[in-house]
Amino acid sequence: MANNKMIVKNDGKTLTIQLPSVFTFNQHQAFREAYQKHLQVINHYVIDLLHVELLDSSALGILLVFYKTAKGTNEKATFSLIHSKPQVRRLLEMAHFQEMFKVL
């Protein structure tokens, strides 16, 4: 079953963004809005890839811009990518995302 919604949870220290099943350039504005207002107060960012079936090269760019923006605001911030399916994890590893994000 496809999940087409982006779900955002904030507990005051950790911001978790659960991505939809298809994460492409079309979601860049919604993704930016999901984290932008929390940049000053969040110490840990979690991107939940549980439902992601398709992650294209523009989505990798979106995640890279997010990382650079959040890290530029808080250099001590930490980042995790969780629940990735094997095909998504391979793509993330090929792009060396494990150097910026903890890939779980």
Side-chain angles (χ1 to χ4, degrees):
M1 184 167 117
N3 176 5
N4 297 320
K5 293 183 180 180
M6 195 172 303
I7 299 170
V8 180
K9 297 177 185 171
N10 178 0
D11 71 5
K13 294 181 182 176
T14 299
L15 181 70
T16 302
I17 303 173
Q18 187 177 72
L19 299 180
S21 57
V22 176
F23 186 57
T24 63
F25 182 77
N26 293 334
Q27 287 81 28
H28 81 280
Q29 187 62 36
F31 184 73
R32 183 181 304 134
E33 290 171 2
Y35 71 81
Q36 197 92 35
K37 62 185 172 188
H38 303 286
L39 288 173
Q40 301 297 325
V41 296
I42 295 299
N43 295 318
H44 184 64
Y45 296 90
V46 176
I47 306 301
D48 189 340
L49 304 168
L50 179 66
H51 300 291
V52 175
E53 299 288 339
L54 174 64
L55 188 74
D56 68 3
S57 60
S58 62
L60 293 178
I62 293 166
L63 290 172
L64 183 59
V65 168
F66 154 67
Y67 173 83
K68 288 182 175 185
T69 301
K71 200 69 163 172
T73 302
N74 177 0
E75 66 182 35
K76 293 183 180 181
T78 56
F79 304 83
S80 299
L81 298 170
I82 64 171
H83 301 135
S84 58
K85 292 178 173 45
Q87 70 272 17
V88 171
R89 181 180 285 243
R90 279 192 299 277
L91 179 62
L92 293 168
E93 289 172 352
M94 285 178 12
H96 301 281
F97 268 63
Q98 70 275 14
E99 295 173 15
M100 297 170 282
F101 296 85
K102 189 172 193 176
V103 180
L104 305 171

